[in-house]
Amino acid sequence: MKLQTRNVTAKRAARRGGKGNGSLSFKLYVLLYLLVVITVIFGVFNYSIDLNRKIDKLQREESRAKQEIFELERDIQALKVTRQQLTSWNHVNRKISAYQLPLRPADPQQVRYLAVKQVRKNVPLSAHARHDDLHGQFDSGR
Amino acid sequence: MRSCNDTMRFRIKFQAGILLLIFFALVVRLYWVQVKDHDSYLKEARKKYITSKKIIGTRGQIFDRHGNLLVGNMPCEEVFITPCNIKPQNDILVSRIIAGCVGMSFHDVYNKVSAKTRKQKQPDGSYKTVDRQYALIARRVPLLQTRRLRELLKKNDVSKGVHYKEDFVRYYPKGRLMSNVLGVTSPDKDNLLGKTGIEKVFDKILSSQSGLTTYGRSRDGRKLDTEPQTQENSQNGLDLYLTFSEPIQAILEEELDKACEKWNPRAVYAIMADPATGNIIAMAQRPSYDPNNRSVKNPLIYRTLVIEDMFEPGSIMKPLTIAGALDNNIVRPETRIDCENGVWIYKKSRLTDTHGYGIQDVTGVVRKSSNIGTAKIAIAMEKELLYKTLRSFGLGEKSGIELTPEQTGRLKKPARWDSLSISRFGMGYGVAVTPVQMLRAYCALANRGRLPQLRILDRRVDPVNNVEIRENSRVVKNIFKSPATGEQIVNMMVTVTEKGGTATRAAIPGYRVAGKTGTAHKLQNGRYVNKYYASFVGFVPAEKPAFVLLMTFDEPKGAHYGGVVVCPAWKAIAERTLKYMNIPPSTVVDATSDRQTRR
């Protein structure tokens, strides 16, 4: 049985035209070829997995950032409303009473008017400035 | 006899055949799953990982003309739990944390947290115990509180089963300020519905529209970009900028409260407007309410009295009548009228003045507020002209202000007047007006005859793209035929606040104040009773009015004359407003003598 089997194999190999040494190199070539192909496929596959992982990570970061922005916007909105509440006259008035701040209405007598003088042409500005400094007045500079 | 090779061949062919059959079966199954039943499987899968979320738009906010927020949306959260997901041994701890942060009683929270199951009615009528998936803890919880709640739950590692939903609450940062004008909202499904005031009138503009987004999600709830999203965008409501000025409104309400404390009236109305544009600058009433706390059930405080209440105006009507008479040459400022020393019988009916006056010119009639003098002028005008004059000032019709429900007032047609009507209508009896109508009429006087359209809305702004839509002011009509009439009547009204007038308490040093006091008996059950409306309407500076301010006290206690009750409050408001508006005095005041007098 075993002899017959060997014979059949030998006959088939002979029919393909292969010899013992040629068959080995062919096998090595095929093996190498397969190895290269498998490595490339493996590499591409791994690269795509890595890319997916990165995409996933970025998406997580994006949604976290979006959520943070959303929460910050809500915080800003709440703070705006609170600011309006704290700056309302009713609130300020209550605080003035509570802390007994010695505030009083503005006295119109405190307002003083400054005379704005016309500067004569062809006279250096510094001369006016010196002159006005002496008299404690204000010049428009024109 | 079969050889070994044949047996091998048969075996190989047999196994190949079986493999082929299996492969074929798989192909068929694949076809069945991927093509034939594709839709039903896809639907089933989508049910698990596709979710939809409602996007709620925000209602427009309301600002004053300077951009001060009057009504806003305060972000808050709804706190709810899934009781079956909270471990029983954590119930007490979770309840204590929630109760502490949200401000509820421990027992209320614990009852909700510990109820893990509920009875569910089955189609056959029997009851089955199922897990309780939802229990509401609290709505409208401020963000600070929910943030603290999250932190504490996370710190104690008991966050599971406690959930939060974003929400907004309509918030009034200025509290009671302008509350009756701004109005309130009430929840309506996912939106808010304006119930009163500006919230109701501009509800369509302020309202937002909800959107819906559908997306695929991962196990941890993240959006998956692999699944196509569909999105119907939500639309935010437009922001409204009113013609009001918050600082002036604050001044008005502060002084109004002081006056209310002193005179304890049943109600008070006060409105201030810019006569040139018709812009309402401030508007207040007492009683009012705090829109952030609507626990008081008195319906009176929720009404907008300045447009809903009608009253007999009394003497503040006189300048309108006299302006009509001047414009139609019935009288002139120097025309002398016998005021009958305070008592006059007309058509068998007695008409009196507060004090007895003899002969007065028309300016004197206004300054002294003589009923007899005004009645005689009205009689000289005759029915049709008096009616036409009062109508031309906008009495008996809606003022057109953008608030509801506005009353039209009451001004009968001449055909329905009785014999005494002509002597009474001209001095503000037998006629009913709303405070807004009267203010508008005085705006026309301040404007020298140009009747403006009152308005409260300055502009609408789309908060997304900042597009502004301005509402323009307009003058409706010119009342006076003669250009001199306006100046004549204003000069007469200035004398009212000068020495010898009825409103000397409303005089402001350095400014020419024009105005008119009014004191009217109240009509109850068809009879005039000893209860009063005390009013003062005026404008300042008289030569170019910055504002017209009307104030009316309903049933003041302790005194009832407009000049006594209303004028001091009017003066306080006007003085502070002039300072705020930075309007310089028209006449020079001797400050030194003033200071010496004060010392």
Side-chain angles (χ1 to χ4, degrees):
Chain A
M1 286 286 279
K2 281 178 187 172
L3 278 171
Q4 276 179 342
T5 313
R6 272 188 208 124
N7 285 342
V8 168
T9 317
K11 272 182 190 173
R12 277 181 187 166
R15 263 204 306 276
R16 282 175 196 149
K19 288 179 180 174
N21 289 340
S23 156
L24 185 66
S25 65
F26 177 76
K27 278 175 186 170
L28 278 173
Y29 170 77
V30 169
L31 189 67
L32 193 69
Y33 181 78
L34 279 174
L35 270 174
V36 169
V37 169
I38 287 167
T39 310
V40 168
I41 290 170
F42 183 76
V44 168
F45 188 65
N46 263 299
Y47 183 65
S48 78
I49 287 174
D50 189 49
L51 271 182
N52 278 337
R53 194 181 56 80
K54 278 181 184 166
I55 289 167
D56 194 51
K57 194 181 163 192
L58 282 174
Q59 275 178 354
R60 274 171 200 274
E61 275 173 22
E62 185 205 359
S63 58
R64 200 178 301 129
K66 271 184 183 170
Q67 183 62 25
E68 264 177 38
I69 290 167
F70 177 73
E71 279 173 13
L72 281 173
E73 274 174 356
R74 282 170 68 81
D75 278 352
I76 290 166
Q77 174 75 7
L79 285 171
K80 273 182 182 171
V81 176
T82 311
R83 183 189 65 186
Q84 289 290 339
Q85 188 182 8
L86 295 178
T87 54
S88 70
W89 173 243
N90 287 345
H91 185 265
V92 173
N93 205 20
R94 268 201 304 275
K95 291 288 168 196
I96 290 171
S97 310
Y99 296 120
Q100 294 178 335
L101 297 176
L103 300 180
R104 58 189 171 78
D107 181 2
Q109 297 307 313
Q110 290 174 323
V111 179
R112 290 285 180 273
Y113 291 91
L114 297 170
V116 181
K117 286 170 61 183
Q118 190 73 38
V119 179
R120 278 164 296 173
K121 282 178 184 172
N122 305 324
V123 178
L125 189 65
S126 55
H128 279 283
R130 269 201 305 279
H131 174 81
D132 292 335
D133 281 347
L134 288 172
H135 293 86
Q137 284 177 319
F138 176 76
D139 249 316
S140 71
R142 264 186 267 160
Chain B
M1 193 178 160
R2 271 185 179 180
S3 69
C4 284
N5 281 345
D6 291 341
T7 312
M8 274 309 278
R9 268 188 212 116
F10 173 74
R11 280 179 185 172
I12 289 165
K13 281 178 182 171
F14 180 73
Q15 283 174 6
I18 286 183
L19 282 174
L20 206 67
L21 271 175
I22 291 170
F23 181 73
F24 183 72
L26 280 174
V27 168
V28 170
R29 180 67 188 152
L30 193 68
Y31 170 79
W32 208 263
V33 170
Q34 290 287 350
V35 181
K36 193 83 176 159
D37 284 348
H38 173 265
D39 289 346
S40 66
Y41 283 118
L42 188 68
K43 205 175 164 186
E44 213 168 299
R46 275 174 175 261
K47 259 188 204 171
K48 296 205 171 176
Y49 65 84
I50 296 283
T51 187
S52 58
K53 192 177 170 186
K54 203 166 216 176
I55 312 166
I56 297 167
T58 48
R59 189 174 171 86
Q61 303 188 102
I62 305 174
F63 300 85
D64 79 342
R65 65 174 151 166
H66 307 300
N68 295 311
L69 185 71
L70 300 171
V71 187
N73 301 308
M74 180 68 108
C76 58
E77 283 181 312
E78 184 182 297
V79 181
F80 62 97
I81 53 169
T82 314
C84 63
N85 287 348
I86 299 171
K87 289 177 186 168
Q89 63 267 30
N90 291 336
D91 283 357
I92 292 177
L93 179 62
V94 170
S95 306
R96 193 165 290 152
I97 292 171
I98 293 176
C101 291
V102 176
M104 290 173 70
S105 82
F106 169 78
H107 287 288
D108 287 350
V109 180
Y110 182 73
N111 287 341
K112 289 178 179 179
V113 172
S114 57
K116 307 284 182 196
T117 55
R118 65 185 176 92
K119 300 271 185 200
Q120 190 181 50
K121 196 174 184 181
Q122 299 298 301
D124 62 357
S126 64
Y127 284 90
K128 188 183 164 189
T129 305
V130 293
D131 284 342
R132 189 183 287 272
Q133 299 284 349
Y134 176 85
L136 177 71
I137 297 291
R139 281 202 173 98
R140 297 168 187 174
V141 185
L143 288 184
L144 281 176
Q145 291 180 16
T146 53
R147 197 155 294 159
R148 173 125 184 87
L149 177 63
R150 276 193 181 95
E151 279 170 16
L152 284 174
L153 290 172
K154 201 175 172 185
K155 199 174 160 189
N156 290 282
D157 199 22
V158 285
S159 303
K160 200 181 172 193
V162 183
H163 311 282
Y164 313 87
K165 188 182 160 194
E166 296 105 33
D167 201 1
F168 283 100
V169 64
R170 201 74 169 151
Y171 191 73
Y172 302 79
K174 315 293 170 176
R176 214 159 70 133
L177 199 82
M178 278 177 72
S179 55
N180 293 80
V181 182
L182 295 171
V184 292
T185 55
S186 66
D188 177 52
K189 292 179 186 168
D190 287 326
N191 282 324
L192 289 168
L193 193 69
K195 297 302 277 186
T196 57
I198 289 169
E199 292 272 26
K200 184 182 178 184
V201 175
F202 298 110
D203 191 49
K204 274 187 185 167
I205 300 170
L206 289 164
S207 289
S208 62
Q209 281 179 352
S210 300
L212 190 76
T213 176
T214 310
Y215 59 93
R217 63 170 176 184
S218 64
R219 269 174 67 89
D220 57 359
R222 275 185 311 111
K223 266 187 192 175
L224 292 175
D225 284 353
T226 47
E227 275 299 319
Q229 287 186 24
T230 58
Q231 185 152 334
E232 285 170 37
N233 284 331
S234 64
Q235 265 192 339
N236 291 341
L238 300 186
D239 290 341
L240 297 184
Y241 285 75
L242 306 180
T243 56
F244 287 75
S245 165
E246 191 220 319
I248 297 174
Q249 179 77 26
I251 292 169
L252 184 76
E253 297 212 12
E254 196 184 329
E255 295 298 337
L256 216 57
D257 284 334
K258 283 184 199 166
C260 283
E261 212 170 281
K262 190 171 179 185
W263 302 108
N264 191 24
R266 182 181 160 271
V268 183
Y269 330 111
I271 326 170
M272 187 188 283
D274 176 356
T277 57
N279 288 348
I280 301 287
I281 301 169
M283 186 186 270
Q285 69 174 62
R286 293 290 179 269
S288 67
Y289 63 97
D290 181 355
N292 295 315
N293 174 20
R294 280 181 267 159
S295 53
V296 183
K297 299 292 175 204
N298 179 7
L300 178 73
I301 64 170
Y302 295 103
R303 288 170 52 210
T304 316
L305 299 178
V306 289
I307 53 157
E308 288 181 50
D309 261 19
M310 296 193 296
F311 67 105
E312 291 199 357
S315 298
I316 54 174
M317 182 74 99
K318 287 171 186 167
L320 312 186
T321 308
I322 292 169
L326 287 169
D327 198 43
N328 290 282
N329 291 321
I330 308 294
V331 288
R332 290 192 306 181
E334 61 277 6
T335 306
R336 295 168 73 80
I337 295 161
D338 184 3
C339 292
E340 312 280 349
N341 285 319
V343 182
W344 185 46
I345 308 294
Y346 176 72
K347 303 267 183 187
K348 295 178 187 170
S349 178
R350 199 162 169 264
L351 185 63
T352 58
D353 278 335
T354 319
H355 300 287
Y357 308 115
I359 305 289
Q360 292 283 335
D361 58 10
V362 176
T363 305
V365 168
V366 176
R367 182 171 64 234
K368 300 288 182 192
S369 191
S370 168
N371 292 334
I372 296 167
T374 313
K376 285 187 172 180
I377 293 169
I379 291 162
M381 286 172 80
E382 294 180 357
K383 277 183 185 181
E384 287 298 334
L385 183 59
L386 180 61
Y387 176 76
K388 203 178 141 197
T389 300
L390 298 183
R391 283 294 292 201
S392 68
F393 279 102
L395 305 190
E397 63 182 24
K398 288 186 179 179
S399 71
I401 196 169
E402 309 105 314
L403 284 171
T404 55
E406 192 191 351
Q407 298 293 321
T408 52
R410 194 179 64 241
L411 177 63
K412 288 180 197 168
K413 285 184 178 169
R416 294 176 59 207
W417 291 12
D418 61 27
S419 57
L420 287 176
S421 294
I422 193 155
S423 65
R424 303 292 189 264
F425 285 10
M427 54 184 213
Y429 278 98
V431 178
V433 298
T434 64
V436 165
Q437 281 178 334
M438 211 61 206
L439 177 92
R440 187 174 174 228
Y442 268 75
C443 281
L445 292 179
N447 258 345
R448 277 54 174 177
R450 288 184 299 279
L451 186 73
Q453 173 68 59
L454 296 181
R455 66 190 197 121
I456 56 172
L457 181 62
D458 187 46
R459 57 194 191 271
R460 293 178 258 171
V461 177
D462 188 334
V464 180
N465 49 24
N466 278 331
V467 172
E468 236 182 55
I469 305 162
R470 284 199 168 265
E471 310 283 326
N472 293 324
S473 59
R474 60 195 171 98
V475 171
V476 173
K477 58 182 173 184
N478 202 333
I479 296 171
F480 299 146
K481 286 178 266 181
S482 161
T485 310
E487 216 53 57
Q488 284 170 350
I489 190 69
V490 169
N491 287 336
M492 286 178 191
M493 286 164 70
V494 170
T495 64
V496 174
T497 62
E498 290 172 348
K499 201 176 173 187
T502 55
T504 49
R505 288 178 173 92
I508 303 170
Y511 295 90
R512 287 181 79 222
V513 180
K516 184 71 193 78
T517 52
T519 309
H521 282 273
K522 285 186 84 172
L523 189 68
Q524 282 183 348
N525 302 323
R527 291 178 67 86
Y528 286 105
V529 292
N530 279 333
K531 291 176 182 173
Y532 299 88
Y533 284 110
S535 310
F536 183 73
V537 204
F539 44 90
V540 61
E543 53 278 12
K544 194 186 176 197
F547 59 85
V548 178
L549 171 60
L550 173 142
M551 289 180 79
T552 299
F553 284 55
D554 181 0
E555 291 183 30
K557 313 285 185 306
H560 58 264
Y561 288 114
V564 177
V565 176
V566 191
C567 284
W570 191 96
K571 181 190 171 184
I573 295 165
E575 250 183 336
R576 290 178 66 183
T577 306
L578 287 167
K579 271 184 192 168
Y580 176 78
M581 289 178 157
N582 203 17
I583 292 165
S586 38
T587 55
V588 178
V589 188
D590 186 352
T592 323
S593 64
D594 185 39
R595 210 179 274 170
Q596 280 168 348
T597 317
R598 267 190 270 154
R599 277 180 199 160

